[in-house]
Amino acid sequence: MLSGGRRLPDLEDTIVALASAAGPGARAIIRISGNAAVKIVQAVMPSFERDPTAGRQCRQAAIVLSGVHSALPADVYFWPAPKTYTGQDLVEIHTISSPPLVELLIAACLNAGARAAQPGEFTMRAFLAGKLDLTRAEAVRGVIEATSRDQLKEALTQLAGGLAHPLHDLREELLNLLADVEAGLDFADENIQFVDRTALLQRITKGLAFITLVRKQMEQRALGHRPFRVVIAGSPNAGKSSLLNALVGQNRALVSDVAGTTRDWLEATLTIDGVKIQLVDTAGLGAAVDAIARQAQQSGGEQAQQADLVLWCWPPGERRETERTGIASLHLATKSDLGPTHAGLFAVSAVTGTGLDKLKQALAQFAKKGNGDALPASLSRCRHHVDACLLHLRQGHRLVLEEEPPELLALELRLALEELGAMVGAVYTDDLLDRVFSRFCVGK
């Protein structure tokens, strides 16, 4: 029974869900997993024929939907069990992403015997089939929810086994140690010693060092995110340096009426609502008059590429399209005290203070959204188990030093192994599965 009275989904059901982004587009992906996947596809695509002698295969077929006069073209990808993400027969239907047609297609699959997938159910099936351990399953969610390059890199590292491999290695080592200790218990009357005291201490110390390193790495992951980086960009004499000074409340940047005063980028740190923001003032963009100006603009452009958010500054009467880089941006009407501003711009003034408080709150909201940890559940859950595992290993080390009965050492090793098993998912409860997978989007 899962939390909230929900039951663990029946793994024998064949499930279906939209696996691509909702809405109109060039392609929609409908994912189906289960023993009846091929049968359900054939019910909505009579022209689909699976080659029973082939493994993975792709076929072109036509979708026949009730109430739709013409057939809908589609590509069907089939992967036979058990070498699939879920360990079951897996089918993906790739077709035009027209929301009404996609809804009709999913409804037809449901009428043919499929069940709507619950949030995270595809990845939960991958976990239960042994395709992923729990840390990697959580990393899948981290990849989906990553909002920055750093978060994506971190999630991909964990998905590749950056956390799982060392934990599995330590678990194997402790299992071997426990086997040696318990073997000695079986032959206690014969005074046969499978591992001596010195070797016990060395192997436990190795485990302690290993799990301590894992703990340190997790702390660095939790605390090591760089501040949210905001680059201030715009044309020369657009009020960029004045804006930086006004936001931080001190004269950090040189301000002049002469265009091109800023020749290099300048950093300042601002804390809003407990969120640290790194402001970067850059040289004005425009026609460079000399080699130094060209280098300054190139440096400013490089800083903008590393930004989490770009503040584009426009003085009165100026507004033009900026290059689309995929980086979030906010367009400001700086020097709003000097005249009317373009509609749709965020009006601010470093002289009168107009809009500065509102801008700070907007920056805080961007930063809170952008700096959210992509793997919070994994970090908090694993940290608890790491601390408990450390405690049991320390207890075991003390027992060996004080020459306590080996039965007590075996107990501490078993408890340490339980904590490691809970981390990687070798030991789990329905409530734990619900907490991990219910946070996923449907179709993943």
Side-chain angles (χ1 to χ4, degrees):
M1 181 76 69
L2 299 176
S3 60
R6 297 191 297 115
R7 293 184 178 277
L8 188 69
D10 190 343
L11 301 180
E12 297 302 315
D13 290 345
T14 297
I15 57 176
V16 62
L18 176 65
S20 56
R27 173 157 293 204
I29 301 175
I30 290 82
R31 184 171 294 153
I32 305 171
S33 177
N35 295 331
V38 173
K39 177 182 176 183
I40 289 168
V41 170
Q42 289 174 335
V44 297
M45 306 175 73
S47 61
F48 171 70
E49 293 185 5
R50 174 201 166 194
D51 183 354
T53 63
R56 302 175 182 179
Q57 49 198 281
C58 175
R59 296 284 186 273
Q60 290 184 333
I63 303 171
V64 179
L65 298 174
S66 176
V68 179
H69 296 291
S70 60
L72 188 65
D75 294 324
V76 182
Y77 295 82
F78 171 71
W79 296 270
K83 295 181 179 181
T84 67
Y85 182 66
T86 60
Q88 303 171 323
D89 283 351
L90 190 66
V91 177
E92 284 186 357
I93 302 173
H94 293 222
T95 188
I96 300 168
S97 186
S98 168
L101 293 176
V102 169
E103 290 178 7
L104 284 174
L105 175 56
I106 292 177
C109 291
L110 295 174
N111 290 333
R115 170 174 63 77
Q118 294 185 11
E121 190 169 355
F122 288 96
T123 303
M124 182 170 69
R125 291 190 177 198
F127 163 71
L128 294 174
K131 303 294 182 177
L132 301 170
D133 69 12
L134 208 52
T135 62
R136 286 179 170 179
E138 288 168 317
V140 172
R141 175 174 162 242
V143 171
I144 296 168
E145 297 183 354
T147 57
S148 69
R149 290 183 294 271
D150 289 343
Q151 289 182 359
L152 179 60
K153 181 180 178 181
E154 185 176 305
L156 289 172
T157 298
Q158 181 164 320
L159 183 59
L163 183 59
H165 286 321
L167 293 177
H168 281 293
D169 291 344
L170 176 58
R171 192 164 179 267
E172 284 297 311
E173 177 63 27
L174 292 182
L175 281 169
N176 291 334
L177 179 57
L178 178 61
D180 289 339
V181 172
E182 293 192 333
L185 294 176
D186 292 336
F187 292 91
D189 294 338
E190 286 81 2
N191 198 27
I192 298 175
Q193 195 174 41
F194 282 81
V195 56
D196 61 29
R197 182 168 174 266
T198 300
L200 277 175
L201 289 172
Q202 289 175 342
R203 292 168 72 176
I204 295 175
T205 301
K206 181 181 177 182
L208 276 169
F210 202 89
I211 199 71
T212 300
L213 177 62
V214 170
R215 189 179 191 275
K216 184 177 180 180
Q217 291 172 339
M218 292 177 65
E219 288 174 351
Q220 290 173 344
R221 288 176 58 203
L223 302 175
H225 291 296
R226 63 175 174 84
F228 189 76
R229 191 173 181 84
V230 177
V231 169
I232 305 174
S235 61
N237 209 20
K240 302 183 297 298
S241 298
S242 297
L243 177 63
L244 181 140
N245 289 340
L247 287 172
V248 300
Q250 53 183 301
N251 293 327
R252 293 296 305 275
L254 181 62
V255 176
S256 171
D257 291 334
V258 178
T261 300
T262 301
R263 289 295 186 126
D264 199 0
W265 55 274
L266 176 70
E267 290 184 343
T269 300
L270 176 66
T271 301
I272 308 172
D273 295 341
V275 180
K276 185 176 289 187
I277 298 172
Q278 189 176 43
L279 296 174
V280 182
D281 181 23
T282 59
L285 302 175
V289 297
D290 53 37
I292 295 178
R294 283 194 297 273
Q295 186 176 358
Q297 290 187 20
Q298 181 181 355
S299 177
E302 292 172 353
Q303 291 300 314
Q305 289 298 320
Q306 299 173 23
D308 298 306
L309 173 69
V310 177
L311 294 182
W312 288 102
C313 298
W314 304 105
E318 186 178 346
R319 176 73 165 95
R320 66 176 184 271
E321 289 298 319
T322 56
E323 182 181 352
R324 295 178 180 270
T325 62
I327 299 173
S329 61
L330 189 61
H331 292 261
L332 310 180
T334 51
K335 302 183 179 182
S336 62
D337 55 296
L338 298 182
T341 61
H342 283 277
L345 295 183
F346 198 120
V348 296
S349 171
V351 176
T352 65
T354 300
L356 291 181
D357 288 339
K358 188 177 178 181
L359 175 58
K360 288 181 180 180
Q361 293 305 313
L363 292 179
Q365 291 177 4
F366 272 105
K368 288 176 181 178
K369 181 180 179 181
N371 275 347
D373 193 344
L375 303 166
S378 179
L379 277 177
S380 59
R381 183 182 64 81
C382 289
R383 187 183 294 113
H384 163 75
H385 294 302
V386 163
D387 289 341
C389 182
L390 270 174
L391 175 63
H392 293 305
L393 290 180
R394 286 170 181 156
Q395 288 279 63
H397 192 270
R398 179 187 62 80
L399 291 171
V400 177
L401 284 175
E402 297 178 1
E403 300 184 354
E404 295 289 345
E407 290 87 352
L408 297 179
L409 172 61
L411 176 61
E412 294 296 341
L413 291 175
R414 288 193 204 100
L415 293 173
L417 281 165
E418 284 184 10
E419 299 298 336
L420 286 174
M423 270 189 277
V424 299
V427 178
Y428 60 86
T429 63
D430 288 353
D431 281 341
L432 174 61
L433 295 185
D434 186 43
R435 285 197 299 273
V436 171
F437 295 103
S438 64
R439 296 182 174 93
F440 279 67
C441 53
V442 175
K444 298 295 185 289

